Amino acid sequence: MTKKKYSKQNNNETVVVNNKKDKLEKIIIGVLFLLLFFAGLIGEKKVGFYNDELYEQNILRGNVLEYAELLGNWNDLSLTYHERTVIAISQSVERDHGVATYLPLTPFLAIDGVSKEIFSLIWHSYTFALFFLGVIMVYAIMQELFKNRKISLAASLLYLSSPRIFAEGLYNNKDIVLMSLVLATIYCGMKFIEKKSFKSAIILGIVAAFAFNVKIIGGFMFGVVGLFYLIDYLKNSYKNNKFLNKELAVGLVAIVVMIATFIAITPAIWGSGWDLNGYIEWCLTESTKFSRWRGTVLFEGKLYSYAANQMLPLYYLPKMILITTPIYILVFFAIGLFYIFYNAIKKQETDKNNTFVMVLICMLVPFLAALLTHARLYNGWRHFYFIYGPMALISFYGIYNLAKVIKYKKTYYTIIGGFIAFYLFACLHNGVYNTAYYNILVNHKDISEEYELDYYGTSAKVVLEQAEANKVSDKVYIYSAGYGYNVLENNKQVLSMVKRDRVIITNSYDKYEEWVKDGKEVYIYYNNVYVPKTLIKGHKKVYSNTSWGNDMSVLYQ
């Protein structure tokens, strides 16, 4: 029996596809993605209550309040939320970033029986699902470009294998979600430019609106796609010696759908009197000169505070990218950049390369804008995680192009596969503890005194559980100073009710001394971001979370 084959056209290349083999590959890759998703999801059990989590959940409640007012259910809901100090999003200083992607979780807000512990787990799991959407989008983009499932799979695994990104994919509902939606916008933009259909315009408009809703930079991605569509439109019009009315109409539909969807899912606009210009102006100001944050940044061994007018060095953003991204991704990213310009000059693989030019613009323009405006950044480069997707795509473009000139291809692929497998295993093994990852470009001996390891305190939950599980009496007592106390209180809220009652926390040193004097089982909590090292001097480390050779949350006695 002969195997059925069919051919399909891709950028003037004919690709012969074996029906059975193609179907089998789809099944295998689908199963692999499911296994990776659930393997990552298992790590959610160790994720604590991060510092901004309640604020983010209240932003969702603030959005729901606006919809409730529109639908006439304002009184009952506002009374319930008022008890939680929740206000309508149009009246909140947090209106500069939206949470429209989290509206499906609204029903859980109305269920009184959902504990903080359960809702936090649901919130984190949903966030990881949105993070994994980015993995699927990388696969889809590469499959659209190369029509090769092995290349597409390898690229998506490379994307997944960055420890810092993976860790934040377990809980970061702003920067990680934007990262995934930027990739979705790029993919939908590719289909929009290729198909020039009303369907593709509508899909792009909706997806881009959700990216725009998360942060204003999401709207820029739509603009980049629009620019490339316009260039393509002008080329085709010149070639046909006439304006192409359908293509023009398709472009206009994409714009209208994007704006209409954005307004519909962003109640901060219509809740404050339809002041779209005022909203955009507020978002632009807060994106570059963010003024509400009063924390500190540990960078190169020095604490910086914007509240005290201590600006981070201009090189903060590029350095944080360089020292927290696996070296092999950075190296191939540089090679990918070279080939983007080389292929453009040589006019090789024009269609593919033009897409990578679009991808490069999506990351390069915001990056340069941040440097030129000396934007206020903190917590590493999380505000710019949205450029990681384009970085990963360009990095694999470097791998792809270099493979053409490498003589020993099997050895080359084995090395690449080894890097991906190593980092992917580390990501799954360490889970949220991957926030402590720094590459070989920094001195690991004194890293806890130089850089932040767990800014959001997500590792504190596990040390609390360790102390509670190994207690020698009916209760365990923990003392911490500064914001370390807040980190403990946050994470205590997501312990089970039984464990929660057995953990007593204080930020009073007098109370700590009283506990010690009474012979109670007392610990001191340490986090290198919030707690001074002098507090643990002379004490012994008892419980800790160690990742990549670095202690994150630690209990001393």
Side-chain angles (χ1 to χ4, degrees), residues 291-344:
S291 59
R292 304 193 302 273
W293 191 68
R294 291 292 183 267
T296 57
V297 180
L298 177 61
F299 180 64
E300 296 181 335
K302 181 179 177 181
L303 282 173
Y304 292 85
S305 171
Y306 288 125
N309 292 319
Q310 297 170 340
M311 294 295 292
L312 283 157
L314 192 60
Y315 60 84
Y316 175 75
L317 175 60
K319 182 168 184 178
M320 290 306 298
I321 294 173
L322 287 174
I323 65 178
T324 61
T325 304
I327 294 292
Y328 86 101
I329 293 179
L330 295 173
V331 170
F332 284 110
F333 172 72
I335 294 171
L337 282 179
F338 167 78
Y339 275 106
I340 287 174
F341 290 103
Y342 178 81
N343 289 340

Side-chain angles (χ1 to χ4, degrees), residues 475-490:
K475 294 184 186 299
V476 60
Y477 299 83
I478 304 175
Y479 162 68
S480 192
Y483 201 80
Y485 169 77
N486 299 72
V487 170
L488 290 178
E489 280 293 345
N490 286 338

Side-chain angles (χ1 to χ4, degrees), residues 497-531:
M497 188 173 293
V498 174
K499 292 179 180 179
R500 201 181 310 153
D501 293 339
R502 294 172 181 167
V503 177
I504 311 300
I505 299 168
T506 187
N507 60 353
S508 167
Y509 191 76
D510 290 339
K511 178 63 72 174
Y512 163 73
E513 288 188 317
E514 181 185 321
W515 286 344
V516 173
K517 187 178 180 180
D518 292 342
K520 297 185 185 299
E521 184 181 358
V522 186
Y523 298 94
I524 300 174
Y525 171 74
Y526 176 74
N527 174 309
N528 82 313
V529 182
Y530 302 114
V531 183

Side-chain angles (χ1 to χ4, degrees), residues 102-113:
Y102 283 77
L103 286 173
L105 297 188
T106 300
F108 293 102
L109 300 176
I111 302 175
D112 294 332

